[in-house]
Amino acid sequence: MTTKRLSIQRYLPEQRKTPFRQEFDVPFDDSTSILEALNHIKEEIDGSLSYRWSCRMAICGSCGMMVNDEPKLGCKSFLREYPGTIKIEPLAHFPVQKDLIIDMEIFLEHLAAVQPYLINDSGESTETHRQTPAQLAKYLKFSDCINCGLCYSACPQFGLNPEFLGPAALTLAHRYNLDSRDQGKQQRMPQLNREEGVWTCTFVGYCSEVCPKSVDPAAAVNQGKVESAKDLLISLFKR
Amino acid sequence: MTKHVGYVPEMKRNWWLKNRYFMAYMAREATVLPLVFFIGCLLAGLYCLLQGQESWLTWLEFMQNPLTIAVNLLAFVASLFHAWTFFQLFPRVMPLRVGGRAIPAKWIILGQWCGVLLVMVLFAWIFGRGV
């Protein structure tokens, strides 16, 4: 079995104030993922290496990290895809707590702000919500978000201004606004309309490139601009 | 906002040189620079027209300067490049539907280029008649 060199950014706040690099050689074959390589390091070489992971099948969104400067899921990226030394760092634009573990608090705050769940006070609570395939098709492609945060690391606007609600939160807001079962659009629009809402996005588009579930947040956020403009016009006539 | 504990990475000024998507984005945004020059030329032309014949002839001479022509040609290419990028993005921002069915993105893009062609033909017809 051949080996591959991983250059990992370490951050051990109890030892040093700034991050440093550490290199590890790990055995690999065609099926070895970055996450498995990290597990090998932790189990066999250096037990102090810290990172997050859970499902190993690209659905929990825990193992987001920068691989050769690109936001990736560790379990969905394989060593065979990278010639030479692989550079691994924590997800960009987030504060780092330890090694590859980032503080996602701001992401969760932004997510909560847009109320990403069905808001529907009508009818009996036990009643089944009916939806046609055409109604489902309107929001379906925006509903696969796994909250991994990769799009935030790909977004320079979020990097420059962490107050920006960001791609995932705005995509989920749009996804629920498009849902025929939802009645919460008026509650979400003030968040989309504010300066750190949809209008901070300048459509760099990299968020959609890195999304491991092909959600296309850039499209959702910019469709949100159309909705925001419509909301403003309607509010002008309502006065 | 919650106060974070830990190392906060710095975003450097050259962030846009990190990968080709950021560079393509900056190229799209930079198309505005030669276009500002072109608009400046147009506004100066209008001003010179109001000032009289001598001023107008000076402007005409300025417009025939090879450097002015080169920058304006660059502005033309930049506007076409910006249109190309904008037309690619448009179907993602405004997914059009007819009778409940989504119009394919390539048709929307083709429609926009047909619009550009129509405007160019219209301009050629309006300004070409006197030649």
Side-chain angles (χ1 to χ4, degrees):
Chain A
M1 194 177 261
T2 49
T3 60
K4 177 78 83 179
R5 181 159 289 186
L6 267 61
S7 173
I8 302 174
Q9 178 177 302
R10 304 293 308 269
Y11 174 60
L12 302 167
E14 67 278 10
Q15 291 179 15
R16 297 191 201 184
K17 282 184 178 173
T18 51
F20 60 96
R21 293 211 153 270
Q22 195 171 357
E23 295 192 339
F24 299 95
D25 289 317
V26 290
F28 83 107
D29 59 25
D30 278 356
S31 66
T32 310
S33 67
I34 300 275
L35 180 61
E36 282 172 316
L38 294 176
N39 285 342
H40 174 84
I41 294 167
K42 191 168 181 71
E43 287 163 12
E44 307 289 336
I45 308 172
D46 187 344
S48 71
L49 182 67
S50 304
Y51 51 96
R52 287 196 184 105
W53 65 281
S54 181
C55 77
R56 295 171 294 161
M57 51 192 286
I59 198 67
C60 76
S62 303
C63 61
M65 61 190 75
M66 303 299 284
V67 181
N68 280 0
D69 292 324
E70 286 180 30
K72 293 274 184 187
L73 287 181
C75 66
K76 210 185 173 190
S77 309
F78 295 86
L79 269 64
R80 64 169 190 265
E81 296 166 0
Y82 301 93
T85 302
I86 306 173
K87 190 167 84 172
I88 297 185
E89 292 165 338
L91 277 180
H93 307 153
F94 288 102
V96 185
Q97 290 179 326
K98 189 178 180 185
D99 291 341
L100 303 178
I101 296 177
I102 51 155
D103 181 355
M104 291 192 91
E105 190 61 33
I106 193 161
F107 169 75
L108 297 172
E109 282 172 12
H110 291 346
L111 213 55
V114 299
Q115 302 178 75
Y117 37 80
L118 285 180
I119 298 172
N120 192 335
D121 297 329
S122 66
E124 294 292 322
S125 60
T126 53
E127 196 178 315
T128 306
H129 291 290
R130 288 176 177 272
Q131 193 167 58
T132 65
Q135 287 170 328
L136 172 71
K138 279 190 178 174
Y139 70 83
L140 187 62
K141 74 168 180 173
F142 300 132
S143 64
D144 289 337
C145 178
I146 57 170
N147 302 330
C148 62
L150 263 58
C151 53
Y152 281 72
S153 287
C155 176
Q157 295 303 332
F158 177 71
L160 293 165
N161 174 19
E163 289 293 306
F164 172 41
L165 282 175
L170 290 168
T171 301
L172 282 169
H174 190 56
R175 172 252 178 275
Y176 283 98
N177 283 346
L178 289 173
D179 195 319
S180 61
R181 302 165 296 176
D182 181 81
Q183 295 172 350
K185 190 174 179 181
Q186 283 317 305
Q187 292 177 45
R188 292 185 199 102
M189 284 319 286
Q191 290 292 330
L192 268 70
N193 293 342
R194 68 189 178 97
E195 201 179 329
E196 292 85 12
V198 288
W199 299 104
T200 292
C201 169
T202 56
F203 214 151
V204 177
Y206 192 42
C207 53
S208 297
E209 292 297 325
V210 303
C211 178
K213 308 309 279 186
S214 306
V215 171
D216 200 356
V221 175
N222 285 281
Q223 285 175 28
K225 286 179 189 167
V226 178
E227 292 304 317
S228 177
K230 274 160 59 179
D231 190 62
L232 173 72
L233 276 175
I234 291 166
S235 69
L236 285 175
F237 284 109
K238 271 186 178 172
R239 278 179 189 174
Chain B
M1 198 171 83
T2 312
K3 196 178 182 305
H4 301 287
V5 182
Y7 167 73
V8 182
E10 183 195 355
M11 193 163 166
K12 291 180 180 155
R13 284 185 182 184
N14 63 351
W15 62 267
W16 55 278
L17 293 169
K18 264 196 165 179
N19 70 43
R20 62 190 178 92
Y21 288 100
F22 292 162
M23 284 190 275
Y25 161 73
M26 288 304 265
R28 188 181 84 204
E29 299 299 296
T31 53
V32 74
L33 299 173
L35 286 170
V36 165
F37 178 77
F38 169 70
I39 291 166
C41 286
L42 283 186
L43 291 174
L46 280 173
Y47 179 75
C48 291
L49 192 63
L50 289 171
Q51 294 300 304
Q53 191 184 16
E54 196 182 333
S55 183
W56 173 249
L57 289 173
T58 310
W59 182 78
L60 279 181
E61 196 181 332
F62 170 75
M63 290 305 286
Q64 285 164 14
N65 184 298
L67 193 65
T68 311
I69 292 170
V71 180
N72 276 321
L73 270 175
L74 182 68
F76 178 66
V77 174
S79 66
L80 285 178
F81 173 71
H82 193 103
W84 178 69
T85 55
F86 180 84
F87 293 170
Q88 298 282 328
L89 299 174
F90 183 81
R92 290 167 67 188
V93 181
M94 299 276 276
L96 303 175
R97 302 177 86 86
V98 174
R101 295 185 69 173
I103 302 175
K106 59 181 178 184
W107 288 14
I108 299 174
I109 295 167
L110 190 68
Q112 292 175 116
W113 280 116
C114 286
V116 170
L117 197 68
L118 195 71
V119 169
M120 281 184 170
V121 169
L122 198 67
F123 260 70
W125 179 67
I126 291 170
F127 294 105
R129 283 186 307 173
V131 180

mmCIF file of all heavy atoms in Angstrom, chain B residues 73-97:
data_model
loop_
_atom_site.group_PDB
_atom_site.id
_atom_site.type_symbol
_atom_site.label_atom_id
_atom_site.label_comp_id
_atom_site.label_asym_id
_atom_site.label_seq_id
_atom_site.Cartn_x
_atom_site.Cartn_y
_atom_site.Cartn_z
ATOM 1 N N LEU B 73 -12.895 50.154 -27.886
ATOM 2 C CA LEU B 73 -13.028 48.768 -28.382
ATOM 3 C C LEU B 73 -13.014 47.791 -27.217
ATOM 4 O O LEU B 73 -13.789 46.832 -27.180
ATOM 5 C CB LEU B 73 -11.889 48.437 -29.348
ATOM 6 C CG LEU B 73 -12.147 48.730 -30.826
ATOM 7 C CD1 LEU B 73 -10.884 48.472 -31.644
ATOM 8 C CD2 LEU B 73 -13.307 47.894 -31.371
ATOM 9 N N LEU B 74 -12.138 48.090 -26.247
ATOM 10 C CA LEU B 74 -12.065 47.257 -25.036
ATOM 11 C C LEU B 74 -13.405 47.315 -24.290
ATOM 12 O O LEU B 74 -13.892 46.296 -23.791
ATOM 13 C CB LEU B 74 -10.918 47.751 -24.143
ATOM 14 C CG LEU B 74 -10.676 46.956 -22.863
ATOM 15 C CD1 LEU B 74 -10.149 45.557 -23.191
ATOM 16 C CD2 LEU B 74 -9.681 47.683 -21.950
ATOM 17 N N ALA B 75 -13.996 48.522 -24.257
ATOM 18 C CA ALA B 75 -15.302 48.689 -23.592
ATOM 19 C C ALA B 75 -16.370 47.854 -24.297
ATOM 20 O O ALA B 75 -17.234 47.244 -23.652
ATOM 21 C CB ALA B 75 -15.696 50.161 -23.581
ATOM 22 N N PHE B 76 -16.292 47.795 -25.635
ATOM 23 C CA PHE B 76 -17.264 47.010 -26.418
ATOM 24 C C PHE B 76 -17.121 45.518 -26.094
ATOM 25 O O PHE B 76 -18.108 44.826 -25.819
ATOM 26 C CB PHE B 76 -17.044 47.270 -27.920
ATOM 27 C CG PHE B 76 -17.967 46.473 -28.801
ATOM 28 C CD1 PHE B 76 -19.336 46.698 -28.789
ATOM 29 C CD2 PHE B 76 -17.461 45.493 -29.647
ATOM 30 C CE1 PHE B 76 -20.191 45.960 -29.591
ATOM 31 C CE2 PHE B 76 -18.313 44.744 -30.453
ATOM 32 C CZ PHE B 76 -19.669 44.975 -30.421
ATOM 33 N N VAL B 77 -15.871 45.049 -26.093
ATOM 34 C CA VAL B 77 -15.613 43.630 -25.778
ATOM 35 C C VAL B 77 -16.039 43.339 -24.331
ATOM 36 O O VAL B 77 -16.664 42.308 -24.056
ATOM 37 C CB VAL B 77 -14.112 43.291 -25.993
ATOM 38 C CG1 VAL B 77 -13.800 41.876 -25.521
ATOM 39 C CG2 VAL B 77 -13.735 43.446 -27.462
ATOM 40 N N ALA B 78 -15.731 44.288 -23.425
ATOM 41 C CA ALA B 78 -16.100 44.109 -22.009
ATOM 42 C C ALA B 78 -17.608 44.024 -21.852
ATOM 43 O O ALA B 78 -18.117 43.207 -21.071
ATOM 44 C CB ALA B 78 -15.541 45.262 -21.174
ATOM 45 N N SER B 79 -18.340 44.850 -22.612
ATOM 46 C CA SER B 79 -19.804 44.828 -22.497
ATOM 47 C C SER B 79 -20.366 43.499 -23.018
ATOM 48 O O SER B 79 -21.314 42.958 -22.448
ATOM 49 C CB SER B 79 -20.438 46.016 -23.219
ATOM 50 O OG SER B 79 -20.222 45.892 -24.605
ATOM 51 N N LEU B 80 -19.743 42.961 -24.088
ATOM 52 C CA LEU B 80 -20.192 41.661 -24.606
ATOM 53 C C LEU B 80 -19.877 40.551 -23.596
ATOM 54 O O LEU B 80 -20.696 39.653 -23.377
ATOM 55 C CB LEU B 80 -19.512 41.348 -25.947
ATOM 56 C CG LEU B 80 -20.029 42.118 -27.162
ATOM 57 C CD1 LEU B 80 -19.234 41.739 -28.407
ATOM 58 C CD2 LEU B 80 -21.512 41.870 -27.412
ATOM 59 N N PHE B 81 -18.695 40.642 -22.963
ATOM 60 C CA PHE B 81 -18.316 39.647 -21.949
ATOM 61 C C PHE B 81 -19.278 39.721 -20.756
ATOM 62 O O PHE B 81 -19.750 38.695 -20.259
ATOM 63 C CB PHE B 81 -16.869 39.887 -21.484
ATOM 64 C CG PHE B 81 -16.452 39.008 -20.329
ATOM 65 C CD1 PHE B 81 -16.237 37.655 -20.515
ATOM 66 C CD2 PHE B 81 -16.288 39.541 -19.048
ATOM 67 C CE1 PHE B 81 -15.870 36.833 -19.449
ATOM 68 C CE2 PHE B 81 -15.920 38.719 -17.978
ATOM 69 C CZ PHE B 81 -15.717 37.369 -18.181
ATOM 70 N N HIS B 82 -19.595 40.961 -20.343
ATOM 71 C CA HIS B 82 -20.514 41.125 -19.212
ATOM 72 C C HIS B 82 -21.895 40.564 -19.573
ATOM 73 O O HIS B 82 -22.534 39.887 -18.763
ATOM 74 C CB HIS B 82 -20.628 42.594 -18.818
ATOM 75 C CG HIS B 82 -21.296 42.779 -17.486
ATOM 76 N ND1 HIS B 82 -20.594 43.076 -16.344
ATOM 77 C CD2 HIS B 82 -22.585 42.648 -17.108
ATOM 78 C CE1 HIS B 82 -21.435 43.133 -15.326
ATOM 79 N NE2 HIS B 82 -22.651 42.883 -15.769
ATOM 80 N N ALA B 83 -22.333 40.858 -20.826
ATOM 81 C CA ALA B 83 -23.632 40.345 -21.283
ATOM 82 C C ALA B 83 -23.620 38.814 -21.258
ATOM 83 O O ALA B 83 -24.576 38.184 -20.798
ATOM 84 C CB ALA B 83 -23.928 40.849 -22.689
ATOM 85 N N TRP B 84 -22.516 38.223 -21.723
ATOM 86 C CA TRP B 84 -22.407 36.759 -21.754
ATOM 87 C C TRP B 84 -22.547 36.177 -20.345
ATOM 88 O O TRP B 84 -23.308 35.232 -20.131
ATOM 89 C CB TRP B 84 -21.068 36.369 -22.386
ATOM 90 C CG TRP B 84 -20.827 34.895 -22.416
ATOM 91 C CD1 TRP B 84 -21.499 33.965 -23.175
ATOM 92 C CD2 TRP B 84 -19.863 34.160 -21.645
ATOM 93 N NE1 TRP B 84 -21.004 32.704 -22.927
ATOM 94 C CE2 TRP B 84 -20.006 32.789 -22.000
ATOM 95 C CE3 TRP B 84 -18.898 34.512 -20.715
ATOM 96 C CZ2 TRP B 84 -19.214 31.790 -21.440
ATOM 97 C CZ3 TRP B 84 -18.109 33.519 -20.161
ATOM 98 C CH2 TRP B 84 -18.274 32.190 -20.527
ATOM 99 N N THR B 85 -21.830 36.780 -19.378
ATOM 100 C CA THR B 85 -21.904 36.279 -17.997
ATOM 101 C C THR B 85 -23.299 36.527 -17.411
ATOM 102 O O THR B 85 -23.863 35.667 -16.743
ATOM 103 C CB THR B 85 -20.846 36.944 -17.088
ATOM 104 O OG1 THR B 85 -20.997 38.363 -17.166
ATOM 105 C CG2 THR B 85 -19.443 36.581 -17.511
ATOM 106 N N PHE B 86 -23.855 37.710 -17.697
ATOM 107 C CA PHE B 86 -25.182 38.059 -17.175
ATOM 108 C C PHE B 86 -26.252 37.108 -17.740
ATOM 109 O O PHE B 86 -27.126 36.633 -17.008
ATOM 110 C CB PHE B 86 -25.519 39.506 -17.530
ATOM 111 C CG PHE B 86 -26.863 39.955 -17.023
ATOM 112 C CD1 PHE B 86 -26.999 40.412 -15.719
ATOM 113 C CD2 PHE B 86 -27.986 39.902 -17.828
ATOM 114 C CE1 PHE B 86 -28.238 40.799 -15.239
ATOM 115 C CE2 PHE B 86 -29.234 40.295 -17.351
ATOM 116 C CZ PHE B 86 -29.351 40.745 -16.057
ATOM 117 N N PHE B 87 -26.160 36.831 -19.041
ATOM 118 C CA PHE B 87 -27.153 35.952 -19.671
ATOM 119 C C PHE B 87 -27.083 34.529 -19.109
ATOM 120 O O PHE B 87 -28.097 33.843 -19.016
ATOM 121 C CB PHE B 87 -26.968 35.920 -21.189
ATOM 122 C CG PHE B 87 -27.277 37.238 -21.873
ATOM 123 C CD1 PHE B 87 -26.953 37.437 -23.211
ATOM 124 C CD2 PHE B 87 -27.891 38.272 -21.183
ATOM 125 C CE1 PHE B 87 -27.233 38.652 -23.831
ATOM 126 C CE2 PHE B 87 -28.170 39.484 -21.785
ATOM 127 C CZ PHE B 87 -27.839 39.678 -23.108
ATOM 128 N N GLN B 88 -25.860 34.094 -18.741
ATOM 129 C CA GLN B 88 -25.713 32.767 -18.135
ATOM 130 C C GLN B 88 -26.388 32.717 -16.765
ATOM 131 O O GLN B 88 -26.977 31.703 -16.395
ATOM 132 C CB GLN B 88 -24.216 32.436 -17.936
ATOM 133 C CG GLN B 88 -23.388 32.366 -19.195
ATOM 134 C CD GLN B 88 -23.588 31.074 -19.960
ATOM 135 O OE1 GLN B 88 -23.837 30.049 -19.358
ATOM 136 N NE2 GLN B 88 -23.496 31.131 -21.269
ATOM 137 N N LEU B 89 -26.281 33.836 -16.024
ATOM 138 C CA LEU B 89 -26.818 33.877 -14.660
ATOM 139 C C LEU B 89 -28.332 34.103 -14.637
ATOM 140 O O LEU B 89 -29.014 33.661 -13.721
ATOM 141 C CB LEU B 89 -26.123 34.983 -13.849
ATOM 142 C CG LEU B 89 -24.614 34.862 -13.645
ATOM 143 C CD1 LEU B 89 -24.065 36.096 -12.953
ATOM 144 C CD2 LEU B 89 -24.272 33.616 -12.838
ATOM 145 N N PHE B 90 -28.841 34.798 -15.651
ATOM 146 C CA PHE B 90 -30.247 35.212 -15.656
ATOM 147 C C PHE B 90 -31.249 34.065 -15.414
ATOM 148 O O PHE B 90 -32.146 34.206 -14.575
ATOM 149 C CB PHE B 90 -30.571 35.951 -16.965
ATOM 150 C CG PHE B 90 -31.970 36.477 -17.008
ATOM 151 C CD1 PHE B 90 -32.304 37.669 -16.382
ATOM 152 C CD2 PHE B 90 -32.982 35.764 -17.641
ATOM 153 C CE1 PHE B 90 -33.606 38.145 -16.401
ATOM 154 C CE2 PHE B 90 -34.284 36.225 -17.676
ATOM 155 C CZ PHE B 90 -34.594 37.422 -17.048
ATOM 156 N N PRO B 91 -31.133 32.927 -16.131
ATOM 157 C CA PRO B 91 -32.135 31.863 -15.905
ATOM 158 C C PRO B 91 -32.127 31.321 -14.479
ATOM 159 O O PRO B 91 -33.125 30.769 -14.027
ATOM 160 C CB PRO B 91 -31.703 30.754 -16.884
ATOM 161 C CG PRO B 91 -30.785 31.397 -17.844
ATOM 162 C CD PRO B 91 -30.134 32.522 -17.133
ATOM 163 N N ARG B 92 -30.999 31.482 -13.778
ATOM 164 C CA ARG B 92 -30.950 31.018 -12.385
ATOM 165 C C ARG B 92 -31.656 32.000 -11.461
ATOM 166 O O ARG B 92 -32.179 31.599 -10.414
ATOM 167 C CB ARG B 92 -29.495 30.833 -11.949
ATOM 168 C CG ARG B 92 -28.839 29.652 -12.655
ATOM 169 C CD ARG B 92 -27.346 29.647 -12.468
ATOM 170 N NE ARG B 92 -26.953 29.391 -11.083
ATOM 171 C CZ ARG B 92 -25.698 29.500 -10.647
ATOM 172 N NH1 ARG B 92 -24.741 29.832 -11.483
ATOM 173 N NH2 ARG B 92 -25.410 29.261 -9.404
ATOM 174 N N VAL B 93 -31.658 33.284 -11.839
ATOM 175 C CA VAL B 93 -32.325 34.304 -11.017
ATOM 176 C C VAL B 93 -33.820 34.369 -11.345
ATOM 177 O O VAL B 93 -34.653 34.533 -10.464
ATOM 178 C CB VAL B 93 -31.669 35.683 -11.238
ATOM 179 C CG1 VAL B 93 -32.323 36.747 -10.366
ATOM 180 C CG2 VAL B 93 -30.182 35.615 -10.943
ATOM 181 N N MET B 94 -34.141 34.248 -12.628
ATOM 182 C CA MET B 94 -35.545 34.332 -13.077
ATOM 183 C C MET B 94 -35.901 33.062 -13.847
ATOM 184 O O MET B 94 -35.960 33.076 -15.075
ATOM 185 C CB MET B 94 -35.736 35.561 -13.974
ATOM 186 C CG MET B 94 -35.450 36.878 -13.302
ATOM 187 S SD MET B 94 -36.831 37.515 -12.373
ATOM 188 C CE MET B 94 -37.746 38.340 -13.642
ATOM 189 N N PRO B 95 -36.137 31.960 -13.133
ATOM 190 C CA PRO B 95 -36.530 30.738 -13.851
ATOM 191 C C PRO B 95 -37.944 30.893 -14.417
ATOM 192 O O PRO B 95 -38.914 30.914 -13.650
ATOM 193 C CB PRO B 95 -36.461 29.662 -12.758
ATOM 194 C CG PRO B 95 -36.554 30.389 -11.470
ATOM 195 C CD PRO B 95 -36.141 31.804 -11.676
ATOM 196 N N LEU B 96 -38.029 31.075 -15.725
ATOM 197 C CA LEU B 96 -39.332 31.357 -16.343
ATOM 198 C C LEU B 96 -40.112 30.064 -16.578
ATOM 199 O O LEU B 96 -39.545 29.029 -16.906
ATOM 200 C CB LEU B 96 -39.134 32.112 -17.663
ATOM 201 C CG LEU B 96 -38.345 33.424 -17.561
ATOM 202 C CD1 LEU B 96 -38.115 34.023 -18.941
ATOM 203 C CD2 LEU B 96 -39.078 34.433 -16.678
ATOM 204 N N ARG B 97 -41.426 30.180 -16.408
ATOM 205 C CA ARG B 97 -42.310 29.022 -16.620
ATOM 206 C C ARG B 97 -43.436 29.429 -17.549
ATOM 207 O O ARG B 97 -43.961 30.544 -17.452
ATOM 208 C CB ARG B 97 -42.893 28.539 -15.291
ATOM 209 C CG ARG B 97 -41.870 28.150 -14.255
ATOM 210 C CD ARG B 97 -42.531 27.758 -12.945
ATOM 211 N NE ARG B 97 -42.918 26.365 -12.948
ATOM 212 C CZ ARG B 97 -42.089 25.373 -12.614
ATOM 213 N NH1 ARG B 97 -40.853 25.637 -12.263
ATOM 214 N NH2 ARG B 97 -42.499 24.128 -12.624
#
